[in-house]
């Protein structure tokens, strides 16, 4: 990840300058609230992917700076709306904008950032770019709604889960990478390869996120665990543990996930059941599968520092503290 | 209003068909929830304005059908997000989507409709149209945030109020009308005239809405009154009554609006104070001013059934049951 960061650090500064510039508004609460999230030192993972992909494609211009800023705006808007949605209390290790400013402003500032992204695109970009990012945004919303529908539903299977995370997370990773090829006007097969790379990376990234929510190491580091559990969110570790559950365990899962009737020690019980059936390890194996698929997509590109950095980004996605 | 409706009823059917087609999704909750609001028989006021404006400009094509559908999607998205925001229980005479489906799905389905609007534009439209509607969306969000900031703040003055309603309401009316000239490729002065017409109409419309919230006639008809009052929203009737308040009345306004410490008979007291200072009548006079300004903007267009219908639409906006 550091390699990627070093490689495009100048570019990233240009993107950050655009982000700070375009999140301004005469309505002072907007930059205050947006800045809380945007300036909070997010990893800028998606903009980094756009910058590296554009370089991988030999792009020499500066259109990708604005696009990377647009992608970060769309991502931030979804975070703000997701905060409302999930009633989560912590994100990126600090209080959410939602917890501090309230639901109302969070929704509206999300709308502002989303609109601002399309404003910028309508001035500096092409209908093709707008098509890619509006398609991505619609799929993100569909994925989030589908996630709501599968929450508390033990019948949710692996396919449904993969569909949810493909939509809510992976599609914006895919668009971030694809746009690198689009601005560089590379042929269709390179555009497709970068889109696939981003898609697979995004799936691996979300899989690991969902595994970390049950990680003992996270708990030891003082990070919150069990957020998904407390909501009854159907992530892969639960799906795999429930697949193999005996009838007594099924009663447990029904109570804690479907009825959301949870006691203090239920999270520990859930993790114990996951460990009993190797659900966390098997979920990691699935993440590794997608990592391999992502890396394979880069085969068509000649070796370069950018390619190495993109490979490194995928490996980072599954090597996070566990 | 009926004249306008009759004039473009075939066109409106085409728009409705596009709306129903494009709000579909494999995620079944999306059309369910969106349909609750969209199919609930909203007045389709903004699409009607686009259709009539395009005809006024002599447009013969069919690009405006899709644009009218996009505008209704953006409008519906803002309603869904506004429901979250205002915790309002009734809209258009039935339970809000928010009350029935919950905040979470309402926010996300709003996001879907908003994204869908830009998806459609990216395929069937121009960067100019996307510029107009993304600008409008950003200004709507700014207006809504500014409204939050003025709520419970008795220092809010007429100018601040006009800025809020210009943003949150009028700008989408303005865009709806402007786009009629844009698709017809009319000269700049006609585009500007229609934009201004829509802007003034939207301001008048919102002024009347805000007056109706304190209307005895509304209460007699069994409609909810006092929603704005209960939230401490600073609309023109309160601003005008507070401007003239004596020191005892100022204490009252401070308690009910700033502290939101309200008793059962406070709404009646508020209305009595508004009547004492002609605040409702003066607000209506202000609405009529904007009606006149709107109609004047149409002077550059030759007489036609469309022009008469657009004049009728403005008159309807202030003649609603009072």
């Amino acid at each position: 990840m550091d390699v990627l960061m070093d490689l495009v650090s100048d570019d990233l500064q240009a993107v950050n300058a655009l982000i700070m510039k375009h999140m301004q508004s005469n309505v002072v609460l907007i930059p205050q609230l947006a800045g809380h999230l945007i300036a909070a030192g997010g990893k800028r993972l998606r903009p980094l992917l756009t910058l590296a992909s554009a370089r991988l494609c030999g792009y020499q211009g500066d259109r990708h700076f604005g696009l990377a800023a647009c992608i970060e705006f769309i991502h931030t808007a979804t975070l703000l709306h997701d905060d409302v949605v999930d009633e989560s209390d912590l994100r990126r290790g600090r209080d959410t904008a939602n917890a501090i400013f309230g639901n109302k402003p969070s929704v509206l500032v999300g709308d502002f950032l989303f609109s601002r992204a399309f404003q910028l695109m309508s001035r500096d970009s092409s209908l093709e770019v707008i098509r890619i990012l509006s398609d991505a945004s619609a799929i993100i919303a569909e994925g989030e709604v589908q996630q709501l529908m599968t929450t508390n539903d033990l019948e949710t299977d692996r396919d449904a889960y993969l569909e949810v995370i493909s939509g809510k997370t992976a599609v914006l990773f895919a668009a971030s990478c694809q746009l690198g090829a689009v601005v560089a006007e590379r042929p269709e097969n390179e555009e497709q390869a970068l889109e696939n790379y981003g898609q697979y990376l995004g799936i691996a990234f979300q899989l690991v996120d969902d595994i970390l929510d049950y990680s003992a190491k996270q708990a030891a580091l003082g990070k919150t665990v069990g957020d998904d559990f407390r909501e009854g969110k159907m992530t892969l570790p639960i799906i795999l543990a429930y697949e193999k559950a005996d009838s007594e365990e099924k009663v447990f899962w029904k109570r804690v996930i479907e009825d959301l009737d949870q006691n203090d020690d239920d999270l520990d019980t859930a993790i114990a059941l996951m460990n009993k059936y190797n659900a966390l390890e098997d979920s990691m194996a699935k993440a590794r599968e997608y990592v391999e698929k992502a890396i394979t997509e880069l085969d068509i590109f000649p070796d370069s520092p950018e390619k190495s950095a993109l490979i490194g980004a995928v490996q980072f996605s599954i090597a996070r503290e566990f």
Side-chain angles (χ1 to χ4, degrees), chain A:
Chain A
M1 205 62 199
D2 290 342
V3 177
L4 175 57
M5 196 76 94
D6 287 347
L7 194 67
V8 296
S9 67
D10 288 350
D11 294 359
L12 189 60
Q13 280 193 17
V15 174
N16 279 335
L18 286 176
I19 287 174
M20 299 312 285
K21 177 179 170 194
H22 292 299
M23 72 179 216
Q24 296 310 314
S25 162
N26 290 330
V27 181
V28 292
L29 183 58
I30 290 177
Q32 271 175 15
L33 196 158
H36 182 79
L37 207 64
I38 287 181
K43 294 183 294 295
R44 301 271 197 272
L45 192 47
R46 295 156 193 80
L48 281 171
L49 291 172
T50 302
L51 296 174
S53 298
R55 277 190 175 232
L56 179 76
C57 292
Y59 182 60
Q60 302 285 334
D62 57 11
R63 276 182 66 203
H64 58 328
F65 297 155
L67 293 184
C70 288
I71 287 169
E72 190 71 359
F73 281 166
I74 291 173
H75 170 59
T76 307
T78 65
L79 285 185
L80 283 167
H81 289 185
D82 199 42
D83 281 349
V84 171
V85 158
D86 285 339
E87 291 153 15
S88 49
D89 292 317
L90 291 170
R91 184 179 298 280
R92 294 182 183 176
R94 43 200 300 189
D95 290 346
T96 60
N98 168 266
I100 295 173
F101 297 94
N103 273 342
K104 300 183 180 197
S106 296
V107 172
L108 297 174
V109 173
D111 289 348
F112 173 80
L113 292 175
F114 198 70
S115 305
R116 180 54 50 96
F118 284 93
Q119 273 186 298
L120 295 176
M121 284 182 252
S122 72
R123 281 163 176 83
D124 304 325
S125 204
S126 66
L127 287 170
E128 187 188 1
V129 166
I130 296 173
R131 181 183 58 69
I132 290 168
L133 285 178
S134 59
D135 285 357
S137 302
I139 296 171
I140 291 169
E142 288 182 316
E144 296 265 11
V145 174
Q146 211 183 339
Q147 174 171 276
L148 288 181
M149 293 173 70
T150 60
T151 297
N152 310 119
D153 179 3
L154 283 168
E155 298 310 308
T156 306
D157 61 15
R158 302 166 186 223
D159 289 347
Y161 167 76
L162 278 174
E163 226 175 284
V164 165
I165 67 172
S166 292
K168 75 165 190 165
T169 306
V171 79
L172 194 56
F173 279 79
S176 302
C177 299
Q178 180 186 3
L179 287 177
V182 170
V183 290
E185 298 177 350
R186 301 300 306 165
E188 172 65 22
N189 68 322
E190 295 188 15
E191 191 181 320
Q192 187 67 57
L194 278 169
E195 181 185 348
N196 293 347
Y197 160 84
Q199 187 74 27
Y200 297 141
L201 166 59
I203 291 173
F205 185 86
Q206 187 62 55
L207 270 163
V208 173
D209 241 30
D210 292 345
I211 296 163
L212 287 176
D213 199 55
Y214 295 100
S215 152
K217 186 81 173 276
Q218 291 279 308
L221 289 168
K223 295 190 185 169
T224 320
V225 294
D227 282 346
D228 295 342
F229 180 74
R230 278 180 288 274
E231 290 177 36
K233 209 180 263 181
M234 289 297 290
T235 59
L236 193 58
I238 289 185
I239 292 169
L240 296 184
Y242 183 71
E243 276 179 7
K244 296 184 179 156
D246 63 30
S247 58
E248 189 184 340
E249 289 161 7
K250 283 195 166 137
V251 172
F252 167 80
W253 288 116
K254 188 177 173 319
R255 174 172 63 79
V256 296
I257 297 301
E258 293 205 338
D259 306 339
L260 272 191
D261 171 12
Q262 299 183 0
N263 306 319
D264 282 351
D265 50 0
D266 284 337
L267 176 61
D268 288 342
T269 306
I271 294 174
L273 290 174
M274 288 171 184
N275 286 329
K276 176 178 175 187
Y277 296 118
N278 285 321
L280 295 168
E281 287 77 359
D282 288 351
S283 298
M284 271 307 289
K286 180 59 80 175
R288 272 186 223 103
E289 262 180 45
Y290 280 96
V291 160
E292 287 311 312
K293 285 161 74 106
I295 293 173
T296 304
E297 290 290 335
L298 298 179
D299 282 352
I300 62 166
F301 296 98
D303 287 341
S304 68
E306 289 78 16
K307 181 170 166 177
S308 303
L310 287 171
I311 292 172
V314 199
Q315 283 161 343
F316 165 80
S317 77
I318 57 160
R320 290 180 286 164
E321 276 307 327
F322 189 40

